[in-house]
Amino acid sequence: MKFKVRAARKEDCKDISRMIMELAVYEKMPDQVKISHEELERDGFSPNPFYECLIAEVPDEHKTKDGYTIVGYALYFYTYSTWKGRSVYMEDLYVMPDFRGKGIGKGLMAKVAQVGVEKQCVRLQLSVLEWNKPSLDFYVSKGAEDLTAKEGWHFLRFDGQTLDTLAKEAPKD
Amino acid sequence: MSNFILRKAEPKDVSDILRLIKELAKFEEMEEQVILTEKELLEDGFGDHPFYHCVVAEVPEDHHSSDGYTVIGFAMYYFTYDPWIGKLLYLEDFYVMKEFRGYGIGSDILKLLSGTAVKTRCSSMHFIVAEWNKPSIEFYKRRGASDLSDEEGWRLYAIEKDDLVKISTMKR
């Protein structure tokens, strides 16, 4: 099946938002999606974007039963390792179920890797849920190493009330 | 010791920042993994497109460290994006020299960054900690941090440069 991978445009945010929700459903956490295409537009397409996004598009004759031609996306941003310097973090990679097995996921990831190499990034990082065997296998086959297993890294978070409480005690300027 | 200030890092601080990065890496038993140079820190933090932001803790000259330093702590952070909740503040490194601990410097740095997160419309502050690093995990959990690896099963994966180049040239 022919498909094209290209940089997302502001008008693609409605499709990206639709697919973000599909991925959240797959990850069994749909109630955790709090933002819509409006925030995506504001945060990805202003002079100082907080993420970059690639989308996979199929020709009209292959559109989904609901009429969509945008069938996959990869959302990523740049991070920094104090040990090695510039890195790229792939936050989301998703292809609609009917379009899997055609090399679209591979194509999206190849483009993220290309962008990372062009920007002199020393590595690409991502996180995967431990039960998500298909994804784990896909990434491991491309050379990914589980740093949680190898080095013991855990993700921690301060959010909501906890963050506000800490912030209230911030030293004055 | 109540006499310390927290301020935004400036280009002149890169040599102190690299020194503290190496000290923290040594504590994490991964000192030989630091290949970053002062030149890269300068370009990447103070150029046209900063990849990170940095806050340093400084003491007055008369309270300098045993080897003569006045910059005795730092925190490096940047902004990331969660497609479910939007902007996040990501804390990459956070370190106070051993002889300056117990005075509330680390605590104040964390509060300052929480204030920055709230001011810049971030929903959350994220970071990673090594599971064997009990003192740090306690420090964060006492302040309300949740462990997403334990609670939700997230695992961190990395693909290094050589494999990244291979992937970028993959044929369909």
Side-chain angles (χ1 to χ4, degrees):
Chain A
M1 176 187 293
K2 275 176 66 178
F3 66 90
K4 186 168 87 163
V5 171
R6 61 166 176 82
R9 296 187 284 258
K10 198 170 177 177
E11 49 270 26
D12 297 322
C13 287
K14 289 199 175 81
D15 277 290
I16 299 169
S17 190
R18 165 181 59 82
M19 292 186 287
I20 284 171
M21 186 51 98
E22 288 176 22
L23 178 52
V25 166
Y26 172 76
E27 287 171 340
K28 304 175 191 171
M29 302 195 230
D31 47 302
Q32 293 209 36
V33 181
K34 309 284 187 226
I35 63 170
S36 72
H37 70 272
E38 283 158 357
E39 282 90 352
L40 286 175
E41 283 165 16
R42 179 194 58 197
D43 298 335
F45 298 90
S46 58
N48 180 22
F50 289 93
Y51 69 87
E52 292 181 6
C53 193
L54 295 166
I55 57 145
E57 200 167 28
V58 294
D60 217 62
E61 64 261 29
H62 290 299
K63 64 177 183 271
T64 74
K65 27 184 183 352
D66 305 312
Y68 301 119
T69 52
I70 292 178
V71 300
Y73 76 101
L75 191 148
Y76 61 95
F77 42 79
Y78 303 100
T79 61
Y80 205 72
S81 155
T82 44
W83 297 352
K84 302 182 182 181
R86 300 179 188 181
S87 299
V88 60
Y89 190 92
M90 189 166 71
E91 172 67 32
D92 271 7
L93 174 64
Y94 175 76
V95 176
M96 291 173 74
D98 290 344
F99 293 84
R100 290 183 198 159
K102 302 179 195 323
I104 297 179
K106 211 162 95 165
L108 281 164
M109 192 160 171
K111 197 80 187 135
V112 175
Q114 208 177 75
V115 169
V117 170
E118 272 163 29
K119 286 266 189 339
Q120 295 160 66
C121 293
V122 297
R123 71 179 167 203
L124 182 144
Q125 286 188 309
L126 52 126
S127 51
V128 193
L129 286 162
E130 62 197 358
W131 54 257
N132 189 353
K133 195 108 192 8
S135 297
L136 293 175
D137 289 343
F138 175 82
Y139 295 124
V140 167
S141 74
K142 306 274 171 293
E145 250 193 309
D146 181 340
L147 297 187
T148 294
K150 187 176 176 201
E151 295 171 9
W153 296 106
H154 279 226
F155 286 101
L156 267 65
R157 163 183 76 191
F158 286 111
D159 68 350
Q161 194 55 62
T162 315
L163 190 66
D164 287 337
T165 305
L166 276 169
K168 284 197 176 77
E169 297 173 27
K172 301 284 172 274
D173 289 328
Chain B
M1 168 189 321
S2 48
N3 233 355
F4 64 89
I5 59 150
L6 298 181
R7 59 170 176 80
K8 264 172 85 156
E10 290 159 41
K12 66 178 171 118
D13 296 316
V14 292
S15 107
D16 279 298
I17 296 169
L18 188 58
R19 169 180 56 84
L20 295 168
I21 285 171
K22 288 181 173 164
E23 271 187 41
L24 176 52
K26 198 167 175 186
F27 167 70
E28 287 170 338
E29 294 164 14
M30 309 220 209
E31 197 183 5
E32 68 295 345
Q33 292 210 38
V34 180
I35 57 171
L36 198 59
T37 63
E38 278 181 32
K39 181 167 181 279
E40 282 156 344
L41 268 177
L42 195 62
E43 265 173 38
D44 296 339
F46 301 94
D48 294 325
H49 172 201
F51 281 82
Y52 70 85
H53 302 280
C54 195
V55 147
V56 296
E58 195 167 32
V59 292
E61 204 28 76
D62 51 342
H63 282 113
H64 64 72
S65 72
S66 45
D67 25 13
Y69 299 116
T70 55
V71 172
I72 52 82
F74 83 109
M76 181 188 276
Y77 66 95
Y78 38 82
F79 297 99
T80 62
Y81 205 76
D82 182 320
W84 298 353
I85 54 176
K87 278 175 69 176
L88 304 177
L89 189 145
Y90 187 88
L91 180 56
E92 173 64 33
D93 263 13
F94 174 27
Y95 179 75
V96 175
M97 287 172 72
K98 204 154 177 210
E99 60 190 282
F100 292 90
R101 289 182 205 157
Y103 297 108
I105 298 177
S107 215
D108 269 11
I109 292 177
L110 200 65
K111 288 175 191 169
L112 181 74
L113 294 186
S114 303
T116 303
V118 170
K119 267 186 239 161
T120 54
R121 244 194 323 106
C122 294
S123 325
S124 189
M125 174 155 60
H126 282 212
F127 48 103
I128 56 174
V129 192
E131 64 195 358
W132 53 257
N133 188 351
K134 299 277 179 264
S136 296
I137 294 179
E138 283 311 304
F139 176 88
Y140 296 124
K141 284 199 163 162
R142 261 203 306 275
R143 286 160 180 76
S146 15
D147 184 329
L148 302 181
S149 292
D150 282 345
E151 286 174 32
E152 295 174 8
W154 291 102
R155 309 186 73 81
L156 177 67
Y157 277 74
I159 298 177
E160 299 296 326
K161 185 75 181 278
D162 293 342
D163 287 311
L164 206 60
V165 171
K166 274 191 213 148
I167 294 168
S168 68
T169 52
M170 264 190 315
K171 296 282 173 281
R172 285 187 189 172

